[in-house]
Amino acid sequence: MTVSYVEPESLAATATVAGEETTKVSGLEIRESLLLPSKDKEQTVVPGLLLGDVITAIDGDPMYEPQRAAVRLLDIAKRGGDVAVSISVRRGLPNPYTSHPRLDLYVGSLSPHKMATFACTICHEGQGSATDFEWASHTPNTEKDRGEWTREYGWFDNHHWIYPMYPKRFAESACLKCHHDVVELQASDRYPDAPAPKVVRGYDLVRKYGCYGCHEINGYDAGRSIGPDLRLEPNYFAAAQQLQALEGENLTSQQAEWAAALVEHPELNDVRHLLYESLASDQASETPVLGTYTHAVVTPLFKDVESPGKLRKSGPALRYVGKKLDSAFLYDWIREPKHFRPGTRMPQFFGLHKHNQGEEQAPKYEPIEIASTVAYLKHYSQPFDYLPAPEAVTNVTAPQLAEFEANHAEQFERGRRRFQTRGCLACHTHDAFPDAKAMNSPTHIVQGPDLSGVGTKFSPDRNPDGPKWLYSWVKEPTKYHVRTVMPDLFLDEIAEKDAAGKLTGEVTDPAEDIVLYLLAASRTDWQPADGTVVDPLSLSDETLDELALDYLKDAFYEVTAERYLAEGIPQNLANSLKGAERELVVSEGSPHSKEKKLLYVGKKTIAKYGCYGCHDIPGFEDAKPIGTTMADWGRKDPSKLAFEHVTHYLEPQHGGGAHAAGHGDAAGGGHAESDDPIPDYYMHQIEMGHRAGFAYQKLREPRSYDYHKTANKRYNERLRMPQFPFDVGEREAVITFLLGLVAEPPADKYVYHPNERMRAIIDGKVVLEKYNCGGCHILEAERWDLEYKPGEFGPQLVATTPYPFEATPIATDELAKTMVEDRRGKRTGSIVGLPTIADDGLPLVTDIDEVPLDNGEEYELSELSFPFTLYEPTALDGEVYEVGRAPVLVFPEQLKNKYGTRGGYLTKYLLPHVTRYEKELNPQAKGSEALSWLPPPLLGEGQKVQPDWLHNFLLEPYPIRPAVVLRMPRFNMTADEATKLVGYFAAIDSANFPYEHSLRRSADHLAERDAEYRAKLENEPDAESGVRLEHAFKNIVINKEYCTKCHMVGDFVPDQTDRAMGPNLGMVYQRLRPEYLRNWIANPKQFLPYTAMPVNIAYDKPLDQKLYHGTSSEQLDAVTDVLMNFDLYSKQQSSVTAVVNELYPKPEEADAATVPQAAAAPAELEPATN
Amino acid sequence: MARLNSFLFLSLVVALNSQASAEGWGDLRGKIVFDGKAPARTKLVVNKDEAFCGPFNLLSEDLVVGEDGGVRDVVVSLYLGRGDAAPPIHESYDETADAEVRLDNKNCRFDPRICLLRTTQTLVVGNPDQVAHNTNVQTFKNPGVNPMIPWGAQLKMKFKSAESFPATVSCNIHPWMQGRLVIKDNPYMAVTDEKGEFVIKNLPAGKHTFHFWHQAGNIDSVTRDGKKEEWSRGRVEFEIEDGDENNLGEIKVPAAVLQ
């Protein structure tokens, strides 16, 4: 029976969806779950019967005849009573009658890809002119589809049409043709359901795993954007470091200064140009001071690069690695990174020869390759001075660390809390904090490495300098790795205070606490694997010589190669050598040795595997990526892909490929095992010679394309791509991204050209992600989509009369939209904010009677209600809902969709923890205010702060709120990146940017208001000019009953605990936008619902007229004006003339020293010049 | 082929709403007693305006147990669920229906610590102390308020909606200060005194659910007449009979519930 009419608001229209089993969960779990990331949205079933639904069963009985169904339903209706009827329906139509998905994005007339403009093949590919299914070059999404299509429609794989349609699984690839920045394809305010999550994930994976280190993806062709651009930044900083290392004192002081500046700020083009010119002129001179090698290799690196890449290397710098790691660890790590850290992103390079049955060469040569790499890294590791560390760190021993928790319980706990709360967990995971790990969505790629085993890595028994290195790193990361994205956390010494806020005299070092905690609490039973080579000189000479000779033969005739191997390369040839062969040069002072051969093979090995693509390695400053470029890989002719014998390999009868269960001998780690079988879809793609299949197997078993090929290849000619630890979904995401790299954008009118605002948002997002700002800060609040019956929310209650300017202007048609009812008689709307936080720091969830849940009791979803704190004003139920009033109470049946926050993982994780810690000091502390001790949600930041201030703050952050438990760290970002962030915040909040004229700092405005005020002072007709600001400042701002009760002002610090202390009011004129400041003072909760700041000047309750004569609005304006002019006002209070006159008295005054000097006249307020 | 099979329920529900219909009005009395030895009250850390607040030698009021074991500050109120009809109000409450209820910041603590307020009444927040306080009332059905109250000032405020649980009142300037504000749209609520005793006068006779709450949480486990009772979520039903004989007697509450 097909439904042909549904009475609005009838039971049929309002029927609910059956299905989910009702389970009871404890109150605590329910509350905790609200902070966790939302699960990926499942396809939601629209409740209520819909036109066209086909009733297939009633109460489980199949219905084949319409009449029977009708009779059954009529019977039920006639019986009446309190019964629930279950009706099963079939909904939706088979293709081609079904509609296109996401009409908000595609096809729809209001979508950005209108049918009339974009049509089909621009996104889908295929043969647009075809009129038959089989000729349109559809591509089946699954093997099942392929079978059905072949049988039913005569579909076939048409190799002659080179651009077949993207199958559904790769449909998002097409987005990259026009969306070259990629980040705009993430979920956004306009499109809360991410437009293209899979291709964005692929992009994230390529970025975070550093694929671009070997495979350059150049998004530009002759200056024109042709696709996503993922390329390494120019190596200016490394060139400068190498220059320092090679030439040291040979450099002039000016050259040394420029080089040092470039190490820290390689973006300083003017400095680089000066250095390059200076080096070039030395090179051109008849008697160059600097070496030939320096000029040959390093000097050219300072030249300009046309359209430079922007990405830093994805791995840590190895320039000083000898000062960080011991040989055994390095050997084991290079051999199999997962052996030490199972979750590492570093791919597997060695032991990948499962495809080669009876492999002999790899087991023989690989230990040499690894050991020689270690030897090279250690030998060329450059001098590095650790930061001075406390004795407790430098002298700590492994046995002490084993007992540290027991013997130093207080410091251990302090270290644990500091590690937990000072920001480390925003970017790192640690097994001791599993709930922090859970704050990230499963697809989120954690910025930094897992630190669960770091105590083993730097254990002093194996690595005596380990603790010192860790201390130095934690305290000042850029000292070791100048391009790291790890920020300086300002782990400065802390003068401890007691619960009363009084100094105890104890001074602690958070870096010391964290380092000792990590060393003591992050110990695993890891040991270097058997066979780890600690002394490379113990390796077989014969094998080393074989490898070295193989390489030498690339550079020299065989006879010469053999001679050089045996005797070394004569000194007189040294200047003609640029490559690794320089390692073999012998001279009087440096005879030929096994060590030389090791360094030679080490350098060759690093070059072979392209380690420098991800790591900064001395001697590889000028090295180029080793992989094929990928900018147009999505269009690469499949005939140019070297499938070789891979199909044979994958077929079970040939070599027992991993398509079947298991193949070859188990060896080494990191192989695609039998639990990672190749999906049928990709197997077929390989068999048919398609790109997707090639890429899948390349990611799964990269060297398997050497199957039955190695017999005709030298060892060093074999494939060398490492195996990345990707699962099936990750591989598919990467392939989706790769297939979209077509380097062939359509006509310009189709390419996405963001407007100025979107441009700023896109650029800002790239920087936000680079530095993981969202690790700490909530960048976008939660959004809950609601559906409700009219009047369920009603008008919002108001406590006191608000200032007129507090009301959010919402157009009447916007309000009217929220009153439109759908077929079920329901209204819809969205609210933006955060779950209300209770006093224990966890979200407040109430039961159906609006009583808070008991943590220990169990509840069903249907008996809950969710208080939600608004962070954005909204129209709801025909009314305006302002921020800072009562939470909106949402019942489960009203909640249609829920979108989690963007960012803020650490903040949300820490809410209950810092509340608990604070309650130890003050049992009355409230978790509902804990957000003010944590990184602030950056909602409305653009409207809040002045662009200039934000720019400077990002580059040189300083403490603002004394109440915070962690400081904003300093990232080594460029001024350009800071500008992009400022632009982002301004754009997202539609704030003025880059300049905002401040009327409040205009002299005319101040004079006018001052005159008005003086006119009011009936009892003080002779009041001097400037009295308005003076009254506001002296009677309100520094009145101990008002602002200075909690706030610092200038050098004044109130007697208050850190948690209750407010920011310095002497700085707000630089930081806040003027109107924000006024509105904030008027009603702080309207901006930050969690703030503890009270309303000082209520609209209907002005302050005592003795303090300031005027209405509440006038008082508010005066306080705002004096704060916005604090600098000018303070200048009035001190006269430079008086100081000068005192220092240099005029002769007549000096003579008449006994005559009192006239007080200096206050300086006139001048208009602001900035 | 996109085919979506959905299973939909049609629910026909008849709401049954039975209202207690006995005749008369009754008082509910009882005494909350700490079961065991009560911990000593700790001294509060006074870290602001010490010169003024220090001499009061303030003690923690998180759990105040009298000499005979009576527990102060337990809130007992008539429990109304979502959609429950408002109870009839006895005429004896008429004269206080629009009264002013005082909540003072006095001697650097909230006085009273637990303040009971009806939505028809006006709350007067005062500050007789010689230091400024702010009074941060964290309500959930009403908009929260957080006014600055200088020495000698007072502020009147109304709360239009009943709150389903006691709102926290705090002063951020003096972080040790905390109290509660109970806001109901009926007068049937009480807070235990120093002896742990409470009385709710003139309840309509009949069966009612009551909610027992202490700052530490719902009172969900008690002993009465030597018998253990589990009051799930702090709620319990009693039959109120006409007159003043509705005495629950001693209600012993284990330490774990109150700490």
Side-chain angles (χ1 to χ4, degrees), chain B residues 55-69:
Chain B
F56 297 119
N57 290 319
L58 297 167
L59 297 177
S60 164
E61 295 179 83
D62 290 348
L63 175 62
V64 183
V65 181
E67 281 178 12
D68 64 346

Side-chain angles (χ1 to χ4, degrees), chain A residues 545-565:
Chain A
D545 285 357
E546 279 174 27
L547 257 186
L549 185 62
D550 194 49
Y551 283 123
L552 276 170
K553 283 199 265 184
D554 286 339
F556 306 103
Y557 291 116
E558 189 167 346
V559 179
T560 319
E562 282 170 356
R563 192 174 75 240
Y564 288 165
L565 177 70

Side-chain angles (χ1 to χ4, degrees), chain A residues 350 365-373 547 605 608-609 715-716:
Chain A
F350 295 98
Y365 292 137
E366 285 186 348
I368 301 276
E369 291 187 301
I370 301 169
S372 62
T373 301
L547 257 186
T605 306
K608 170 180 162 185
Y609 291 108
Y715 177 71
N716 286 319

Side-chain angles (χ1 to χ4, degrees), chain A residues 830-867:
Chain A
S830 297
I831 49 178
V832 174
L834 297 172
T836 302
I837 303 297
D839 280 349
D840 59 359
L842 282 173
L844 176 76
V845 181
T846 46
D847 66 14
I848 198 143
D849 296 336
E850 305 170 19
V851 178
L853 301 192
D854 211 323
N855 282 347
E857 289 267 338
E858 293 198 326
Y859 299 83
E860 281 179 14
L861 177 68
S862 59
E863 42 174 347
L864 303 179
S865 53
F866 302 97

Side-chain angles (χ1 to χ4, degrees), chain A residues 11 15-16 18 82-83 85 87-89 91 502 847 849-850 924 926 928-929 1041-1042 1045 1055 1092 1095, chain B residues 4 6-10 12 47-50 62 79 82 138 143 146 148 150-151 164 170 172 178 235:
Chain A
L11 285 172
T16 55
D82 184 5
V83 291
V85 182
I87 298 176
S88 306
V89 301
R91 180 173 289 172
K502 302 280 182 293
D847 66 14
D849 296 336
E850 305 170 19
Q924 316 300 341
K926 294 192 296 180
S928 54
E929 289 170 2
E1041 295 283 290
Y1042 290 99
K1045 193 88 195 164
D1055 182 19
V1095 173
Chain B
L4 184 65
S6 334
F7 297 91
L8 310 177
F9 263 136
L10 283 181
L12 306 164
N47 47 18
K48 177 75 182 172
D49 293 323
E50 283 169 71
D62 290 348
Y79 183 82
R82 191 187 185 192
Q138 196 178 320
N146 183 9
M148 191 78 182
W151 172 23
S164 47
S170 57
N172 299 88
Q178 203 168 90
R235 298 168 207 174

Side-chain angles (χ1 to χ4, degrees), chain B:
Chain B
M1 189 162 66
R3 191 173 283 163
L4 184 65
N5 286 323
S6 334
F7 297 91
L8 310 177
F9 263 136
L10 283 181
S11 316
L12 306 164
V13 182
V14 177
L16 295 174
N17 199 348
S18 60
Q19 181 70 47
S21 56
E23 291 291 316
W25 306 90
D27 299 349
L28 179 71
R29 294 168 189 286
K31 178 179 169 97
I32 308 287
V33 176
F34 190 88
D35 195 358
K37 187 174 179 333
R41 288 168 64 185
T42 51
K43 198 167 183 298
L44 289 174
V45 178
V46 172
N47 47 18
K48 177 75 182 172
D49 293 323
E50 283 169 71
F52 181 79
C53 300
F56 297 119
N57 290 319
L58 297 167
L59 297 177
S60 164
E61 295 179 83
D62 290 348
L63 175 62
V64 183
V65 181
E67 281 178 12
D68 64 346
V71 182
R72 205 189 79 185
D73 295 343
V74 172
V75 177
V76 185
S77 59
L78 179 69
Y79 183 82
L80 295 175
R82 191 187 185 192
D84 283 353
I89 312 274
H90 189 266
E91 59 186 19
S92 61
Y93 287 108
D94 290 352
E95 62 178 291
T96 55
D98 54 1
E100 290 190 345
V101 174
R102 277 202 81 83
L103 170 61
D104 279 326
N105 292 266
K106 190 175 169 187
N107 299 350
C108 302
R109 62 180 288 280
F110 287 108
D111 182 26
R113 165 119 166 135
I114 308 257
C115 180
L116 308 181
L117 181 75
R118 287 160 66 185
T119 45
T120 50
Q121 295 173 327
T122 301
L123 183 72
V124 182
V125 182
N127 178 15
D129 280 352
Q130 291 170 25
V131 292
H133 289 289
N134 68 310
T135 303
N136 190 347
V137 185
Q138 196 178 320
T139 41
F140 284 89
K141 297 297 287 180
N142 295 282
V145 287
N146 183 9
M148 191 78 182
I149 318 268
W151 172 23
Q154 65 175 33
L155 212 62
K156 293 182 180 179
M157 50 185 88
K158 298 268 281 183
F159 293 87
K160 293 173 190 159
S161 173
E163 294 281 333
S164 47
F165 55 98
T168 307
V169 183
S170 57
C171 168
N172 299 88
I173 297 167
H174 305 102
W176 64 85
M177 286 177 66
Q178 203 168 90
R180 291 292 191 283
L181 178 62
V182 183
I183 307 170
K184 299 281 175 197
D185 51 11
N186 67 69
Y188 300 119
M189 54 185 154
V191 61
T192 55
D193 59 16
E194 300 284 348
K195 294 177 190 165
E197 293 174 354
F198 69 90
V199 56
I200 305 179
K201 288 195 159 288
N202 291 320
L203 281 152
K207 269 191 183 169
H208 299 288
T209 301
F210 294 90
H211 184 215
F212 287 71
W213 179 93
H214 180 264
Q215 184 182 318
N218 294 322
I219 294 187
D220 52 6
S221 172
V222 302
T223 307
R224 277 208 309 147
D225 297 334
K227 281 185 216 152
K228 278 205 158 179
E229 293 181 14
E230 296 298 322
W231 294 355
S232 176
R233 303 180 195 178
R235 298 168 207 174
V236 59
E237 196 178 67
F238 292 121
E239 172 94 41
I240 300 296
E241 291 173 0
D242 188 25
D244 60 356
E245 298 299 310
N246 301 292
N247 194 337
L248 302 177
E250 270 199 1
I251 302 167
K252 285 191 176 173
V253 185
V257 175
L258 292 168
Q259 287 175 310

